[in-house]
Amino acid sequence: MIHHTHQTMTHRDVVSSHKTASGETSTGGIDWSKPPDIDAYLDKENTQYLLEKRTSPQKWIWKLRMMNSAGFVYFSVYSLSSLIVGHFFTLPYLYGYDKDVLRNRKILAVYIFIMLVTNYILIVVRSKRSRFGIFSQMLPSANQAHWTKCPNCDILVPPRAKHCVLCDVCVLKRDHHCFFAGCCIGFHNQRYFIVFCLYGCLGAMYSLYVTYCFLEIHYIPLFSLDFYGYLMPWLLWRWYLGVIHHSVIWLALLLYLSLTTLIACGYFLTWQLVLLCTGQTTYEFLKRNKTFKQPLTENLKSIFGKWSLINFIIPLPWIRNEGDGRKWKTRCSLDEKHF
């Protein structure tokens, strides 16, 4: 009985297909005379999957991108505040007894500020060169046999290039995403980031020292039994009672910011120097990948160019670092190493 029903349905399907071939369509409006286009269906499904995969992080990625704005505001407010307070307030009081000493201290503060801001701008500007997109893939380059396909960009990318979900692009020799600069640190701007961290440490140390010396004279010594006087709730309470002036609170806040900046910049500077010596990125270090490890001199040329040490005195944006971020020397053959 079941077999007979199956024959009847098959006959009905055949009749429907003949009607469709003669110009008639089935009740559902489906043209059964043509085979389904499987390739088009798979392409459509793949495209829909890629779109969903690229748009799904947008539900939470905006929260991380807000940290880019917060980092820029922090850098701008702190650097300008340190320069203005030091130039017009603390330095004249501490070194006003000697005009030459005061002038030298101010020149040092301005020099640190200029180096800090210049390298910050170069970090942002040169980050665009490290971005690897579809047009970069079309440019003449090395053998692409060992390139890998980025599942997010859906293009082939060279070794050491990684995708950043915040920038939504692949970055050549990507190390990490910097929230202070709002961009990724990669092949073309790593040297500016290292110098930026160095002068961030110097500027924070200078601001910390000058601010502390001023507060030690006009407020209380930090390293004493009255150290609790630097706690912010106690400061606010004493200001509310009219015991201290509000400028002491702002200087204490600047002291906190200087210490925080010194710790952060010191950490990143130390970590970057470690990577400079090992010739790795953060991802490669964590994965214990030493494929691209080279001597220290080669690492310096790859990051800073020929005039390595001069970059720490004056920025040299017109001198490029060696390589293009797509071709790399390896310790062993790429055929023996899997990425």
Side-chain angles (χ1 to χ4, degrees):
M1 185 68 179
I2 296 175
H3 182 68
H4 178 70
T5 305
H6 175 71
Q7 287 183 347
T8 305
M9 293 179 64
T10 304
H11 176 70
R12 192 173 298 171
D13 292 339
V14 172
V15 172
S16 177
S17 64
H18 280 294
K19 288 182 179 180
T20 305
S22 62
E24 300 178 11
T25 58
S26 60
T27 306
I30 302 176
D31 190 358
W32 294 98
S33 62
K34 297 180 181 179
D37 193 350
I38 302 299
D39 294 335
Y41 175 77
L42 292 177
D43 291 341
K44 182 179 180 181
E45 290 293 318
N46 187 36
T47 303
Q48 184 178 1
Y49 168 76
L50 291 175
L51 289 175
E52 291 178 354
K53 190 172 183 179
R54 288 173 63 90
T55 56
S56 58
Q58 300 298 329
K59 298 177 181 179
W60 55 267
I61 209 71
W62 65 271
K63 298 179 181 179
L64 292 177
R65 287 177 176 169
M66 287 183 63
M67 296 180 65
N68 291 334
S69 303
F72 172 76
V73 171
Y74 179 89
F75 167 75
S76 303
V77 172
Y78 170 71
S79 57
L80 287 174
S81 300
S82 299
L83 179 66
I84 294 173
V85 172
H87 194 83
F88 296 103
F89 191 62
T90 55
L91 286 177
Y93 180 85
L94 294 174
Y95 304 103
Y97 60 88
D98 193 329
K99 294 183 179 180
D100 294 334
V101 175
L102 178 60
R103 183 183 67 252
N104 294 335
R105 296 294 188 274
K106 287 185 176 182
I107 291 175
L108 178 60
V110 172
Y111 173 74
I112 293 175
F113 178 80
I114 292 176
M115 287 293 294
L116 193 67
V117 174
T118 303
N119 282 278
Y120 180 88
I121 295 174
L122 289 173
I123 289 173
V124 178
V125 173
R126 291 302 174 91
S127 66
K128 298 178 181 180
R129 292 189 178 184
S130 298
R131 296 180 179 180
F132 189 85
I134 185 64
F135 297 105
S136 302
Q137 188 185 22
M138 299 177 182
L139 297 176
S141 181
N143 184 14
Q144 299 183 3
H146 303 285
W147 291 24
T148 56
K149 188 174 184 179
C150 175
N152 297 281
C153 299
D154 198 28
I155 60 173
L156 292 176
V157 295
R160 313 188 81 177
K162 299 298 177 183
H163 186 85
C164 178
V165 294
L166 294 176
C167 301
D168 195 24
V169 70
C170 288
V171 180
L172 297 174
K173 194 193 174 186
R174 180 181 183 271
D175 185 75
H176 69 281
H177 184 90
C178 177
F179 288 104
F180 288 101
C183 62
C184 278
I185 306 302
F187 178 75
H188 290 285
N189 63 348
Q190 185 178 9
R191 63 170 168 174
Y192 305 113
F193 179 74
I194 296 175
V195 179
F196 171 80
C197 291
L198 173 63
Y199 280 92
C201 289
L202 295 177
M205 290 175 59
Y206 194 51
S207 177
L208 185 67
Y209 173 75
V210 172
T211 306
Y212 169 73
C213 290
F214 184 88
L215 288 175
E216 190 177 28
I217 298 174
H218 287 275
Y219 186 46
I220 56 175
L222 178 61
F223 301 99
S224 65
L225 296 178
D226 298 328
F227 68 91
Y228 59 88
Y230 283 90
L231 299 177
M232 192 55 65
W234 183 252
L235 283 170
L236 293 175
W237 175 249
R238 298 191 68 184
W239 168 75
Y240 177 76
L241 296 178
V243 179
I244 60 175
H245 193 260
H246 63 83
S247 60
V248 177
I249 298 178
W250 293 113
L251 289 174
L253 180 60
L254 182 62
L255 194 73
Y256 284 130
L257 294 178
S258 299
L259 181 61
T260 304
T261 304
L262 177 60
I263 295 174
C265 291
Y267 166 77
F268 283 109
L269 177 62
T270 304
W271 180 243
Q272 289 297 313
L273 293 178
V274 171
L275 297 178
L276 175 64
C277 295
T278 60
Q280 298 172 293
T281 62
T282 300
Y283 176 84
E284 294 167 354
F285 186 90
L286 296 176
K287 294 294 182 179
R288 298 181 179 180
N289 184 356
K290 300 181 180 180
T291 304
F292 305 100
K293 186 176 182 180
Q294 298 293 326
L296 180 59
T297 54
E298 296 295 327
N299 296 335
L300 289 172
K301 292 179 182 179
S302 176
I303 295 177
F304 293 100
K306 295 181 179 180
W307 308 96
S308 304
L309 298 179
I310 301 181
N311 289 273
F312 292 92
I313 302 176
I314 182 174
L316 301 175
W318 56 87
I319 298 180
R320 297 186 178 182
N321 42 341
E322 293 187 356
D324 59 358
R326 294 184 286 179
K327 297 177 290 185
W328 296 98
K329 297 178 181 179
T330 58
R331 299 178 63 185
C332 59
S333 174
L334 284 173
D335 297 328
E336 301 174 3
K337 189 70 179 178
H338 300 283
F339 296 96

